[in-house]
Amino acid sequence: MSDRNIVFISKATPEDDEFVLWLAPKLEAAGYTVFADVLSLKAGDRWRKEVTASLRDNAIKMLLCCNDTSLAKDGVQEEIGIALDLSKELNDKRFIIPLRLERYKKIFGIGELQYINFVGSWANGLAELLDELDSENVPKNRDEISINPNWELYRQRFSIHVQREEELLTSNLVKILNFPSYIYYYEPTGAIDLDAFKDECSLSKYPVEVYHNGVFTFMGPDEINALLSGVGKFKKKASYPTENFISEGASRPKIKSRETSNLVSSMFRQAWNSLCREKGLTEYAYSSQLGFHFNKSLIPLKKRVPWGDKADRRSSALRGTSKGKVWEYGVTAIVSFWPFPHVKLKARVLFSELSSNEAGSIINDPAKQHKLRRSTCSGWRNKQWHGRLMAYLVMLLGDNETLYLPLSFSSNVELSGMPVILKSPVTTQLPNNLDDEDEEADLTTLGNFDIEEDD
């Protein structure tokens, strides 16, 4: 084990080269030793033996680039077989870390492994991957950073530069800036009809979570009794500092921290959903979560929304047409309190029939929706996704600088109006494969804010 210090990237060639070219230097800049199949090195059995030996004898983790094309390659399947044997030999269930580059079909041996998601935002995937490697105690050396010279060979072949300068990486995370100091638990003072109680709670304007025969909420006594006046009278039985409730759980009623964290996450998500409904966004139920989309009553088709400060003004569309259909950008809000309180805005694209140059009925066939997303959105680069997210936030914010999600008549969750910005110590300049009419001229995969671009 002492000789194992390599983070081995398993990929298809050349399908995944662009991603690996971006990822590997950033891992090296974080202090890790990285190995990846480099096109400019010699191919054939001799090279294959070197690849196999590096994996078998020196790898501490294998990062598996996952899409259907890569996973179908004989070389990748061979590496998966070696890695599965090593996982047992080293007693490391997380020896293989799948990197989800596209939606892919599960294959034998890795189907149940938890992947790191790079779909939609390589920046978010990188941040999650670095956290995972750190939590797994993968060896790294921050004192002697070294960028593998093989990336220079990539540069010579494809004219792609790895530069020793900071790059700003945009994420789809927005920080939770403030939330109420206390959460309350109410119980009825007498016997109640539990079904009627739950029905009344489901109609609440503000988030409530039924627990046993009581309810957790951020509402005060007058508000909760007004809401449940048809059921009975309720009395406050406990109040908890919200931060302690999330991290430590509660004693009355007894509830573990994992459940309290999920409970508050649910309430904050309900508040997000309420805000979106109040603003008139289209609500669409995906397989497990709700998404909210801007529609024709809120913004005309193909209208671009300006965003960014005056010195760096850009614009992006939230609604457009493709292949005779109308697409509408939206998001699903996913609340988390680790490593800091934030809301992850998961991108969604909803398709409708085109009718009289506007959106008609929503296509309610999940298979058709999926096929349209793959064909329409596969050409969108990360900078376009970021632009649409920024335009979405601008529309939600209106004249405000932060977003306020209602939890009661007098309390809110306050969200930042800007996504979290991450920094990488190195920059890679990747080619622009977008057509001229595409938005956000894409000079880098994740967007270097110092590069000028046409609006």
Side-chain angles (χ1 to χ4, degrees), residues 390-427:
M390 293 301 296
Y392 190 96
L393 288 173
V394 165
M395 291 288 290
L396 281 183
L397 285 164
D399 296 328
N400 300 316
E401 294 185 357
T402 56
L403 283 170
Y404 294 93
L405 314 181
L407 293 174
S408 73
F409 178 77
S410 59
S411 65
N412 302 280
V413 181
E414 184 183 7
L415 302 184
S416 171
M418 281 289 295
V420 173
I421 302 296
L422 309 172
K423 283 187 178 181
S424 169
V426 295
T427 298

mmCIF file of all heavy atoms in Angstrom, residues 390-427:
data_model
loop_
_atom_site.group_PDB
_atom_site.id
_atom_site.type_symbol
_atom_site.label_atom_id
_atom_site.label_comp_id
_atom_site.label_asym_id
_atom_site.label_seq_id
_atom_site.Cartn_x
_atom_site.Cartn_y
_atom_site.Cartn_z
ATOM 1 N N MET A 390 -27.737 32.003 -14.658
ATOM 2 C CA MET A 390 -27.639 33.399 -14.253
ATOM 3 C C MET A 390 -28.882 34.177 -14.686
ATOM 4 O O MET A 390 -29.422 34.994 -13.930
ATOM 5 C CB MET A 390 -26.383 34.029 -14.833
ATOM 6 C CG MET A 390 -25.081 33.466 -14.261
ATOM 7 S SD MET A 390 -24.950 33.670 -12.475
ATOM 8 C CE MET A 390 -24.906 35.456 -12.359
ATOM 9 N N ALA A 391 -29.357 33.923 -15.911
ATOM 10 C CA ALA A 391 -30.567 34.593 -16.391
ATOM 11 C C ALA A 391 -31.773 34.194 -15.544
ATOM 12 O O ALA A 391 -32.636 35.021 -15.229
ATOM 13 C CB ALA A 391 -30.805 34.250 -17.861
ATOM 14 N N TYR A 392 -31.837 32.923 -15.159
ATOM 15 C CA TYR A 392 -32.922 32.418 -14.316
ATOM 16 C C TYR A 392 -32.944 33.157 -12.977
ATOM 17 O O TYR A 392 -34.001 33.599 -12.500
ATOM 18 C CB TYR A 392 -32.712 30.922 -14.098
ATOM 19 C CG TYR A 392 -33.852 30.174 -13.451
ATOM 20 C CD1 TYR A 392 -34.789 29.504 -14.218
ATOM 21 C CD2 TYR A 392 -33.966 30.113 -12.069
ATOM 22 C CE1 TYR A 392 -35.824 28.787 -13.628
ATOM 23 C CE2 TYR A 392 -34.999 29.410 -11.463
ATOM 24 C CZ TYR A 392 -35.924 28.738 -12.247
ATOM 25 O OH TYR A 392 -36.948 28.037 -11.664
ATOM 26 N N LEU A 393 -31.751 33.309 -12.370
ATOM 27 C CA LEU A 393 -31.663 33.997 -11.079
ATOM 28 C C LEU A 393 -32.036 35.468 -11.210
ATOM 29 O O LEU A 393 -32.698 36.033 -10.334
ATOM 30 C CB LEU A 393 -30.256 33.845 -10.500
ATOM 31 C CG LEU A 393 -29.899 32.447 -9.981
ATOM 32 C CD1 LEU A 393 -28.423 32.377 -9.602
ATOM 33 C CD2 LEU A 393 -30.763 32.077 -8.789
ATOM 34 N N VAL A 394 -31.599 36.098 -12.307
ATOM 35 C CA VAL A 394 -31.945 37.505 -12.531
ATOM 36 C C VAL A 394 -33.458 37.671 -12.576
ATOM 37 O O VAL A 394 -34.025 38.607 -11.988
ATOM 38 C CB VAL A 394 -31.298 38.025 -13.833
ATOM 39 C CG1 VAL A 394 -31.936 39.341 -14.278
ATOM 40 C CG2 VAL A 394 -29.802 38.215 -13.637
ATOM 41 N N MET A 395 -34.140 36.765 -13.274
ATOM 42 C CA MET A 395 -35.595 36.856 -13.381
ATOM 43 C C MET A 395 -36.269 36.636 -12.022
ATOM 44 O O MET A 395 -37.256 37.292 -11.690
ATOM 45 C CB MET A 395 -36.111 35.832 -14.391
ATOM 46 C CG MET A 395 -35.723 36.126 -15.830
ATOM 47 S SD MET A 395 -36.632 37.538 -16.513
ATOM 48 C CE MET A 395 -38.284 36.839 -16.646
ATOM 49 N N LEU A 396 -35.736 35.715 -11.214
ATOM 50 C CA LEU A 396 -36.309 35.482 -9.898
ATOM 51 C C LEU A 396 -36.050 36.649 -8.952
ATOM 52 O O LEU A 396 -36.902 37.011 -8.138
ATOM 53 C CB LEU A 396 -35.735 34.200 -9.279
ATOM 54 C CG LEU A 396 -36.294 32.856 -9.733
ATOM 55 C CD1 LEU A 396 -35.642 31.739 -8.937
ATOM 56 C CD2 LEU A 396 -37.806 32.794 -9.554
ATOM 57 N N LEU A 397 -34.854 37.239 -9.050
ATOM 58 C CA LEU A 397 -34.462 38.299 -8.127
ATOM 59 C C LEU A 397 -35.256 39.583 -8.332
ATOM 60 O O LEU A 397 -35.580 40.283 -7.378
ATOM 61 C CB LEU A 397 -32.964 38.604 -8.286
ATOM 62 C CG LEU A 397 -31.999 37.583 -7.681
ATOM 63 C CD1 LEU A 397 -30.601 37.791 -8.232
ATOM 64 C CD2 LEU A 397 -31.986 37.690 -6.164
ATOM 65 N N GLY A 398 -35.561 39.910 -9.593
ATOM 66 C CA GLY A 398 -36.200 41.194 -9.861
ATOM 67 C C GLY A 398 -35.275 42.329 -9.466
ATOM 68 O O GLY A 398 -34.120 42.392 -9.905
ATOM 69 N N ASP A 399 -35.733 43.214 -8.590
ATOM 70 C CA ASP A 399 -34.917 44.342 -8.146
ATOM 71 C C ASP A 399 -34.122 44.035 -6.875
ATOM 72 O O ASP A 399 -33.440 44.917 -6.343
ATOM 73 C CB ASP A 399 -35.811 45.566 -7.885
ATOM 74 C CG ASP A 399 -36.486 46.056 -9.158
ATOM 75 O OD1 ASP A 399 -35.874 45.911 -10.232
ATOM 76 O OD2 ASP A 399 -37.620 46.563 -9.075
ATOM 77 N N ASN A 400 -34.206 42.809 -6.381
ATOM 78 C CA ASN A 400 -33.510 42.449 -5.139
ATOM 79 C C ASN A 400 -32.115 41.900 -5.423
ATOM 80 O O ASN A 400 -31.822 41.455 -6.530
ATOM 81 C CB ASN A 400 -34.315 41.414 -4.360
ATOM 82 C CG ASN A 400 -35.690 41.909 -3.983
ATOM 83 O OD1 ASN A 400 -35.844 43.049 -3.545
ATOM 84 N ND2 ASN A 400 -36.702 41.063 -4.156
ATOM 85 N N GLU A 401 -31.264 41.913 -4.418
ATOM 86 C CA GLU A 401 -29.922 41.349 -4.532
ATOM 87 C C GLU A 401 -29.859 39.930 -3.982
ATOM 88 O O GLU A 401 -28.935 39.184 -4.286
ATOM 89 C CB GLU A 401 -28.911 42.234 -3.809
ATOM 90 C CG GLU A 401 -28.724 43.614 -4.455
ATOM 91 C CD GLU A 401 -27.640 44.420 -3.782
ATOM 92 O OE1 GLU A 401 -27.084 43.929 -2.777
ATOM 93 O OE2 GLU A 401 -27.348 45.526 -4.256
ATOM 94 N N THR A 402 -30.819 39.570 -3.138
ATOM 95 C CA THR A 402 -30.885 38.224 -2.583
ATOM 96 C C THR A 402 -32.301 37.698 -2.731
ATOM 97 O O THR A 402 -33.249 38.450 -2.943
ATOM 98 C CB THR A 402 -30.478 38.195 -1.096
ATOM 99 O OG1 THR A 402 -31.296 39.110 -0.369
ATOM 100 C CG2 THR A 402 -29.008 38.577 -0.941
ATOM 101 N N LEU A 403 -32.435 36.390 -2.611
ATOM 102 C CA LEU A 403 -33.744 35.745 -2.701
ATOM 103 C C LEU A 403 -34.269 35.446 -1.304
ATOM 104 O O LEU A 403 -33.519 34.980 -0.437
ATOM 105 C CB LEU A 403 -33.635 34.429 -3.482
ATOM 106 C CG LEU A 403 -33.536 34.514 -4.999
ATOM 107 C CD1 LEU A 403 -33.197 33.138 -5.559
ATOM 108 C CD2 LEU A 403 -34.833 35.023 -5.604
ATOM 109 N N TYR A 404 -35.545 35.706 -1.091
ATOM 110 C CA TYR A 404 -36.173 35.440 0.199
ATOM 111 C C TYR A 404 -37.258 34.379 0.022
ATOM 112 O O TYR A 404 -38.227 34.582 -0.703
ATOM 113 C CB TYR A 404 -36.770 36.716 0.787
ATOM 114 C CG TYR A 404 -35.733 37.742 1.151
ATOM 115 C CD1 TYR A 404 -35.363 38.729 0.238
ATOM 116 C CD2 TYR A 404 -35.094 37.709 2.394
ATOM 117 C CE1 TYR A 404 -34.396 39.674 0.566
ATOM 118 C CE2 TYR A 404 -34.131 38.652 2.734
ATOM 119 C CZ TYR A 404 -33.786 39.629 1.814
ATOM 120 O OH TYR A 404 -32.831 40.561 2.134
ATOM 121 N N LEU A 405 -37.067 33.250 0.698
ATOM 122 C CA LEU A 405 -38.028 32.149 0.634
ATOM 123 C C LEU A 405 -38.870 32.173 1.901
ATOM 124 O O LEU A 405 -38.336 32.070 3.012
ATOM 125 C CB LEU A 405 -37.305 30.804 0.520
ATOM 126 C CG LEU A 405 -36.159 30.712 -0.500
ATOM 127 C CD1 LEU A 405 -35.583 29.297 -0.491
ATOM 128 C CD2 LEU A 405 -36.627 31.105 -1.881
ATOM 129 N N PRO A 406 -40.196 32.301 1.782
ATOM 130 C CA PRO A 406 -41.042 32.494 2.968
ATOM 131 C C PRO A 406 -41.198 31.226 3.803
ATOM 132 O O PRO A 406 -41.537 30.164 3.297
ATOM 133 C CB PRO A 406 -42.383 32.912 2.357
ATOM 134 C CG PRO A 406 -42.392 32.283 0.993
ATOM 135 C CD PRO A 406 -40.970 32.302 0.526
ATOM 136 N N LEU A 407 -40.929 31.358 5.115
ATOM 137 C CA LEU A 407 -41.119 30.262 6.059
ATOM 138 C C LEU A 407 -42.279 30.519 7.008
ATOM 139 O O LEU A 407 -42.837 29.586 7.587
ATOM 140 C CB LEU A 407 -39.842 30.035 6.875
ATOM 141 C CG LEU A 407 -38.630 29.513 6.105
ATOM 142 C CD1 LEU A 407 -37.407 29.488 7.001
ATOM 143 C CD2 LEU A 407 -38.897 28.135 5.528
ATOM 144 N N SER A 408 -42.615 31.778 7.207
ATOM 145 C CA SER A 408 -43.761 32.178 8.021
ATOM 146 C C SER A 408 -44.110 33.606 7.629
ATOM 147 O O SER A 408 -43.480 34.187 6.727
ATOM 148 C CB SER A 408 -43.426 32.091 9.514
ATOM 149 O OG SER A 408 -42.545 33.138 9.892
ATOM 150 N N PHE A 409 -45.083 34.185 8.308
ATOM 151 C CA PHE A 409 -45.466 35.562 7.996
ATOM 152 C C PHE A 409 -44.300 36.518 8.188
ATOM 153 O O PHE A 409 -44.162 37.499 7.455
ATOM 154 C CB PHE A 409 -46.641 35.980 8.885
ATOM 155 C CG PHE A 409 -47.074 37.398 8.668
ATOM 156 C CD1 PHE A 409 -47.831 37.748 7.549
ATOM 157 C CD2 PHE A 409 -46.715 38.392 9.568
ATOM 158 C CE1 PHE A 409 -48.208 39.069 7.333
ATOM 159 C CE2 PHE A 409 -47.105 39.706 9.364
ATOM 160 C CZ PHE A 409 -47.854 40.053 8.248
ATOM 161 N N SER A 410 -43.416 36.226 9.142
ATOM 162 C CA SER A 410 -42.347 37.169 9.490
ATOM 163 C C SER A 410 -40.937 36.609 9.342
ATOM 164 O O SER A 410 -39.965 37.253 9.738
ATOM 165 C CB SER A 410 -42.543 37.651 10.929
ATOM 166 O OG SER A 410 -42.535 36.553 11.830
ATOM 167 N N SER A 411 -40.763 35.417 8.772
ATOM 168 C CA SER A 411 -39.419 34.843 8.661
ATOM 169 C C SER A 411 -39.192 34.247 7.271
ATOM 170 O O SER A 411 -40.139 33.807 6.606
ATOM 171 C CB SER A 411 -39.184 33.772 9.730
ATOM 172 O OG SER A 411 -40.044 32.668 9.528
ATOM 173 N N ASN A 412 -37.913 34.236 6.862
ATOM 174 C CA ASN A 412 -37.538 33.770 5.524
ATOM 175 C C ASN A 412 -36.217 33.020 5.573
ATOM 176 O O ASN A 412 -35.449 33.126 6.536
ATOM 177 C CB ASN A 412 -37.356 34.955 4.568
ATOM 178 C CG ASN A 412 -38.574 35.819 4.440
ATOM 179 O OD1 ASN A 412 -39.499 35.491 3.715
ATOM 180 N ND2 ASN A 412 -38.573 36.952 5.149
ATOM 181 N N VAL A 413 -35.966 32.281 4.491
ATOM 182 C CA VAL A 413 -34.621 31.818 4.172
ATOM 183 C C VAL A 413 -34.055 32.821 3.177
ATOM 184 O O VAL A 413 -34.695 33.109 2.158
ATOM 185 C CB VAL A 413 -34.624 30.420 3.527
ATOM 186 C CG1 VAL A 413 -33.193 29.968 3.238
ATOM 187 C CG2 VAL A 413 -35.324 29.417 4.405
ATOM 188 N N GLU A 414 -32.877 33.348 3.443
ATOM 189 C CA GLU A 414 -32.248 34.296 2.530
ATOM 190 C C GLU A 414 -31.151 33.581 1.741
ATOM 191 O O GLU A 414 -30.240 32.989 2.315
ATOM 192 C CB GLU A 414 -31.651 35.482 3.284
ATOM 193 C CG GLU A 414 -31.063 36.542 2.353
ATOM 194 C CD GLU A 414 -30.411 37.695 3.097
ATOM 195 O OE1 GLU A 414 -30.288 37.613 4.334
ATOM 196 O OE2 GLU A 414 -30.021 38.687 2.434
ATOM 197 N N LEU A 415 -31.255 33.639 0.412
ATOM 198 C CA LEU A 415 -30.279 33.013 -0.474
ATOM 199 C C LEU A 415 -29.482 34.083 -1.217
ATOM 200 O O LEU A 415 -30.013 35.129 -1.593
ATOM 201 C CB LEU A 415 -30.962 32.131 -1.521
ATOM 202 C CG LEU A 415 -31.859 30.996 -1.055
ATOM 203 C CD1 LEU A 415 -32.342 30.212 -2.263
ATOM 204 C CD2 LEU A 415 -31.131 30.092 -0.092
ATOM 205 N N SER A 416 -28.220 33.777 -1.462
ATOM 206 C CA SER A 416 -27.404 34.654 -2.296
ATOM 207 C C SER A 416 -27.980 34.702 -3.706
ATOM 208 O O SER A 416 -28.507 33.709 -4.210
ATOM 209 C CB SER A 416 -25.956 34.152 -2.338
ATOM 210 O OG SER A 416 -25.208 34.860 -3.301
ATOM 211 N N GLY A 417 -27.875 35.854 -4.348
ATOM 212 C CA GLY A 417 -28.325 35.981 -5.732
ATOM 213 C C GLY A 417 -27.274 35.575 -6.741
ATOM 214 O O GLY A 417 -27.518 35.620 -7.954
ATOM 215 N N MET A 418 -26.092 35.163 -6.271
ATOM 216 C CA MET A 418 -24.985 34.751 -7.150
ATOM 217 C C MET A 418 -24.531 33.345 -6.789
ATOM 218 O O MET A 418 -24.423 33.011 -5.608
ATOM 219 C CB MET A 418 -23.808 35.714 -7.003
ATOM 220 C CG MET A 418 -23.957 37.018 -7.751
ATOM 221 S SD MET A 418 -23.816 36.788 -9.541
ATOM 222 C CE MET A 418 -22.102 36.255 -9.677
ATOM 223 N N PRO A 419 -24.250 32.496 -7.782
ATOM 224 C CA PRO A 419 -23.715 31.171 -7.482
ATOM 225 C C PRO A 419 -22.333 31.253 -6.845
ATOM 226 O O PRO A 419 -21.617 32.252 -6.992
ATOM 227 C CB PRO A 419 -23.629 30.500 -8.866
ATOM 228 C CG PRO A 419 -24.505 31.302 -9.753
ATOM 229 C CD PRO A 419 -24.462 32.695 -9.221
ATOM 230 N N VAL A 420 -21.968 30.197 -6.145
ATOM 231 C CA VAL A 420 -20.647 30.101 -5.546
ATOM 232 C C VAL A 420 -19.589 30.044 -6.653
ATOM 233 O O VAL A 420 -19.758 29.339 -7.653
ATOM 234 C CB VAL A 420 -20.547 28.846 -4.654
ATOM 235 C CG1 VAL A 420 -19.125 28.640 -4.148
ATOM 236 C CG2 VAL A 420 -21.529 28.952 -3.494
ATOM 237 N N ILE A 421 -18.513 30.803 -6.482
ATOM 238 C CA ILE A 421 -17.403 30.805 -7.430
ATOM 239 C C ILE A 421 -16.237 30.045 -6.820
ATOM 240 O O ILE A 421 -15.836 30.305 -5.679
ATOM 241 C CB ILE A 421 -16.972 32.244 -7.785
ATOM 242 C CG1 ILE A 421 -18.148 33.031 -8.365
ATOM 243 C CG2 ILE A 421 -15.797 32.230 -8.762
ATOM 244 C CD1 ILE A 421 -18.672 32.495 -9.667
ATOM 245 N N LEU A 422 -15.696 29.101 -7.562
ATOM 246 C CA LEU A 422 -14.531 28.333 -7.123
ATOM 247 C C LEU A 422 -13.307 28.789 -7.907
ATOM 248 O O LEU A 422 -13.420 29.353 -8.986
ATOM 249 C CB LEU A 422 -14.765 26.834 -7.350
ATOM 250 C CG LEU A 422 -16.063 26.268 -6.789
ATOM 251 C CD1 LEU A 422 -16.244 24.827 -7.249
ATOM 252 C CD2 LEU A 422 -16.070 26.344 -5.284
ATOM 253 N N LYS A 423 -12.119 28.534 -7.367
ATOM 254 C CA LYS A 423 -10.886 28.901 -8.059
ATOM 255 C C LYS A 423 -10.030 27.677 -8.306
ATOM 256 O O LYS A 423 -9.864 26.832 -7.430
ATOM 257 C CB LYS A 423 -10.085 29.921 -7.227
ATOM 258 C CG LYS A 423 -10.608 31.337 -7.276
ATOM 259 C CD LYS A 423 -9.653 32.284 -6.562
ATOM 260 C CE LYS A 423 -10.158 33.723 -6.664
ATOM 261 N NZ LYS A 423 -9.233 34.668 -5.986
ATOM 262 N N SER A 424 -9.493 27.579 -9.512
ATOM 263 C CA SER A 424 -8.507 26.559 -9.837
ATOM 264 C C SER A 424 -7.164 27.250 -10.041
ATOM 265 O O SER A 424 -7.110 28.330 -10.633
ATOM 266 C CB SER A 424 -8.895 25.815 -11.117
ATOM 267 O OG SER A 424 -7.823 25.018 -11.569
ATOM 268 N N PRO A 425 -6.060 26.671 -9.558
ATOM 269 C CA PRO A 425 -4.754 27.317 -9.719
ATOM 270 C C PRO A 425 -4.198 27.247 -11.130
ATOM 271 O O PRO A 425 -3.205 27.900 -11.434
ATOM 272 C CB PRO A 425 -3.856 26.544 -8.741
ATOM 273 C CG PRO A 425 -4.515 25.207 -8.614
ATOM 274 C CD PRO A 425 -5.996 25.457 -8.745
ATOM 275 N N VAL A 426 -4.819 26.439 -12.014
ATOM 276 C CA VAL A 426 -4.361 26.368 -13.406
ATOM 277 C C VAL A 426 -5.540 26.545 -14.334
ATOM 278 O O VAL A 426 -6.699 26.340 -13.961
ATOM 279 C CB VAL A 426 -3.640 25.034 -13.726
ATOM 280 C CG1 VAL A 426 -2.361 24.899 -12.942
ATOM 281 C CG2 VAL A 426 -4.570 23.852 -13.464
ATOM 282 N N THR A 427 -5.255 26.921 -15.582
ATOM 283 C CA THR A 427 -6.278 27.152 -16.600
ATOM 284 C C THR A 427 -5.947 26.339 -17.835
ATOM 285 O O THR A 427 -4.779 26.241 -18.226
ATOM 286 C CB THR A 427 -6.344 28.645 -16.981
ATOM 287 O OG1 THR A 427 -6.717 29.388 -15.836
ATOM 288 C CG2 THR A 427 -7.369 28.880 -18.089
#
